[in-house]
Amino acid sequence: NERSFTDSYVILQIDKLLKQYSENADSQTSTIIDRREEKKKSLEFNSKLDSIKRFEFESGTTFSGIRKFVVFFEEEIYFKSNMKKKNEVQINKEEFINELKLFNFANWKEFYNNNPKPEDREMWGIRLTFKDEIIVYRGHEDYPNIWPLVKRVLSKYVELESE
């Protein structure tokens, strides 16, 4: 029992750190007033994620091909991908939406391209489909600061990198 309590405590602490990191990773604010407005915007956007209809991720180059991962939020949640799936893992809707909330999309730019001369043209895109709206984020060899968490979440379901 003592071990399970400790394990649970560590998990809660990691979750708390991830939440704090995600709230600040792509923040564009410098004042407390701006920070409050940004937090309000994030909460509004994250509440919208509860009604998401589709999440689409794609990444790759014209030479290596485009990797795709699409989650459908219908009567049952399921995903399709052209990447190798991990052990027939199933997606839990509540868990996946909570992970999407950690990405803090409200702080993202629509387009990332800070590299003036991209070398291999690694492109990526994320499309969020709602009942009456589609929101798209994309980039060329440039990513939001939270990108390592995005890759970590997606790698629970598919092998993002070919071995």
Side-chain angles (χ1 to χ4, degrees), residues 24-57:
N24 297 306
D26 292 290
S27 177
Q28 306 296 319
T29 63
S30 58
T31 68
I32 293 173
I33 293 170
D34 290 343
R35 183 74 184 120
R36 281 190 200 139
E37 284 302 310
E38 186 179 75
K39 177 78 172 170
K40 182 180 173 186
K41 190 171 101 174
S42 293
L43 290 171
E44 288 171 6
F45 191 97
N46 282 351
S47 69
K48 181 193 282 192
L49 286 169
D50 292 327
S51 64
I52 191 169
K53 300 294 182 193
R54 185 183 305 175
F55 169 85
E56 298 173 62
F57 167 85

Side-chain angles (χ1 to χ4, degrees), residues 10 79 101 130 148:
V10 168
F79 72 94
K101 289 177 181 180
F130 300 93

Side-chain angles (χ1 to χ4, degrees), residues 11 80 86 130 156:
I11 290 169
K80 292 185 178 184
K86 291 209 174 166
F130 300 93
K156 289 171 50 178

Side-chain angles (χ1 to χ4, degrees), residues 67-83:
R67 299 177 303 273
K68 295 183 179 185
F69 175 79
V70 182
V71 179
F72 300 89
F73 296 88
E74 297 175 359
E75 289 181 19
E76 291 186 27
I77 183 174
Y78 65 95
F79 72 94
K80 292 185 178 184
S81 179
N82 63 356
M83 295 177 274

Side-chain angles (χ1 to χ4, degrees), residues 11-152:
I11 290 169
L12 289 173
Q13 291 300 92
I14 290 171
D15 288 346
K16 182 179 175 182
L17 288 172
L18 276 175
K19 188 173 189 309
Q20 288 174 343
Y21 174 71
S22 72
E23 288 175 355
N24 297 306
D26 292 290
S27 177
Q28 306 296 319
T29 63
S30 58
T31 68
I32 293 173
I33 293 170
D34 290 343
R35 183 74 184 120
R36 281 190 200 139
E37 284 302 310
E38 186 179 75
K39 177 78 172 170
K40 182 180 173 186
K41 190 171 101 174
S42 293
L43 290 171
E44 288 171 6
F45 191 97
N46 282 351
S47 69
K48 181 193 282 192
L49 286 169
D50 292 327
S51 64
I52 191 169
K53 300 294 182 193
R54 185 183 305 175
F55 169 85
E56 298 173 62
F57 167 85
E58 61 182 25
S59 175
T61 68
T62 53
F63 296 108
S64 66
I66 304 296
R67 299 177 303 273
K68 295 183 179 185
F69 175 79
V70 182
V71 179
F72 300 89
F73 296 88
E74 297 175 359
E75 289 181 19
E76 291 186 27
I77 183 174
Y78 65 95
F79 72 94
K80 292 185 178 184
S81 179
N82 63 356
M83 295 177 274
K84 184 176 179 184
K85 294 181 182 179
K86 291 209 174 166
N87 301 325
E88 298 302 317
V89 67
Q90 299 295 315
I91 292 185
N92 175 290
K93 182 177 182 177
E94 182 179 333
E95 180 181 328
F96 192 77
I97 288 174
N98 285 336
E99 289 169 331
L100 291 180
K101 289 177 181 180
L102 284 176
F103 298 169
N104 205 8
F105 290 113
N107 288 349
W108 287 28
K109 298 184 291 187
E110 288 182 25
F111 185 65
Y112 290 82
N113 190 20
N114 281 339
N115 190 348
K117 293 185 178 183
E119 294 174 19
D120 66 0
R121 300 299 297 165
E122 174 76 23
M123 299 175 288
W124 64 270
I126 291 180
R127 178 186 301 250
L128 307 170
T129 303
F130 300 93
K131 183 178 179 183
D132 299 322
E133 181 180 21
I134 296 174
I135 300 170
V136 178
Y137 302 100
R138 58 192 181 91
H140 294 154
E141 294 184 2
D142 190 19
Y143 309 89
N145 293 325
I146 198 79
W147 197 253
L149 181 60
V150 173
K151 289 176 69 173
R152 180 175 167 240

